[in-house]
Amino acid sequence: MTRTPTQRRVAAALAAAAALGLTLVGCGTSGGGGSASGPTEAKELGKTEGAISILAWPGYTEDGSNDPKVDWVTPFEKETGCKVTTKTFGTSDEALNLMKTGDYDVVSASGDASLRLVASKDVQPVNTKLLKNYDGIYDFLKNRAWNTVDGKSYGVPHGYGANLLMTDKKTFPKQPDSWDVVFDKAGEHAGKVTAYDSPIYIADAAMYLMTHKPELGIKNPYALDQKQFDASVELLKEQRKSVGEYWNDYLKEVQSFKSGDSVVGTSWQVIQNVLEGEGGTTQVTLPKEGATGWSDTWMIASKSKHPNCSYAWLDYIASPKANAMATGYFGEAPSSEEACKYRDDCEAYHAGDADYASKIWYWTTPIEECLDGRKDVKCVDYAAWTKAWQEIRG
């Protein structure tokens, strides 16, 4: 691959195109192995097995082979005796298919994959009491819809970030505070609007409509009944007339704003950092309507061949120094305040700012069972989101 780990990961984030096609199930309570209702969590840990197979986004398991100065895997191997074998993936769909082979012990799952892994019983509940570093993780990342089912945690939060509004300062001397510049007012900059290229971007439109069309009754941008979904799709079809390009490539957006081909659109803090470092004239903000975003989770395979090494990895990658190295290298906020002692850029990523984090609607797989708690209607699942996105893009 030619792009850096961060570029490859953000380029692929939530580009999954497969249907969910499964219903979430209740899981067992305790004990080892599995049960008729699903995998169960470990009661206690034993001796590490000497090996672990990790399936991860590029940049999440650096061992010094890409850059001798970037290595948090080797210290883990020395500390635990667990020899790490890593395979990287480019999309959540790829990760889902690979997990079904049974060849991997742990996986770093984004919000569009985690619920599908639970539903297919490919991952097991995690007994967080067995992890000494779990308590230090920010509370606002725990027990969330994308990592917890039926009150059971299915993994350890890794890092998180928001999809921000980026504007060119020359075009917008006064920084906008609303997403209306890419939706209702997109025509004012027709041809120079950019948007994220993924079905999950439909949630950005739904989030905007939560504020600007409250009569639709949208409470969660990932829980849309047919009427709410149709309104979100229609907004994106209207936006399409003004979009100069869709992007899911890190370098593509950097170059687009540098050249002036794009002057307004969705972005990430890490991209703003790169543009600032290269003398760019951009700015980013989290608009008043809020923002979508991501929070990845480390999950253990339901049939892990190395469960003790798997727990050791989850605990290690949540430790302050390791988490700081991994999330800093990737370009996202760490999962704990202690990790910020090993980074000098936590403020830029609003790490630990619970109020800021509360404004983020983290990527979550849309499923037929409405995630906002409604029981009287069916919500539109991710298969339909994928089909609609293809129609929007044309």
Side-chain angles (χ1 to χ4, degrees), residues 345-356:
D345 59 352
C346 274
E347 185 175 356
Y349 289 94
H350 298 271
D353 187 336
D355 180 63
Y356 184 89

Side-chain angles (χ1 to χ4, degrees), residues 161-184:
N163 298 312
L164 303 171
L165 173 63
M166 175 173 281
T167 52
D168 176 69
K169 293 179 181 179
K170 295 178 181 177
T171 307
F172 296 89
K174 181 179 180 181
Q175 190 173 45
D177 66 352
S178 171
W179 287 106
D180 62 4
V181 292
V182 300
F183 290 120
D184 291 335

Side-chain angles (χ1 to χ4, degrees), residues 24-30 39-41 115 118 124-129 134 142-155 369:
L24 294 180
V25 295
C27 296
T29 53
S30 62
T40 55
E41 66 182 28
L115 289 184
V118 174
Q124 62 181 273
V126 171
N127 186 347
T128 57
K129 294 179 181 178
Y134 186 79
K142 301 176 183 176
N143 303 315
R144 303 304 298 269
W146 61 87
N147 60 30
T148 303
V149 177
D150 291 342
K152 289 190 172 295
S153 172
Y154 275 81
E369 182 180 346

Side-chain angles (χ1 to χ4, degrees), residues 128-148:
T128 57
K129 294 179 181 178
L130 300 178
L131 305 173
K132 64 179 183 294
N133 289 303
Y134 186 79
D135 287 346
I137 293 174
Y138 294 128
D139 287 339
F140 56 78
L141 296 179
K142 301 176 183 176
N143 303 315
R144 303 304 298 269
W146 61 87
N147 60 30
T148 303

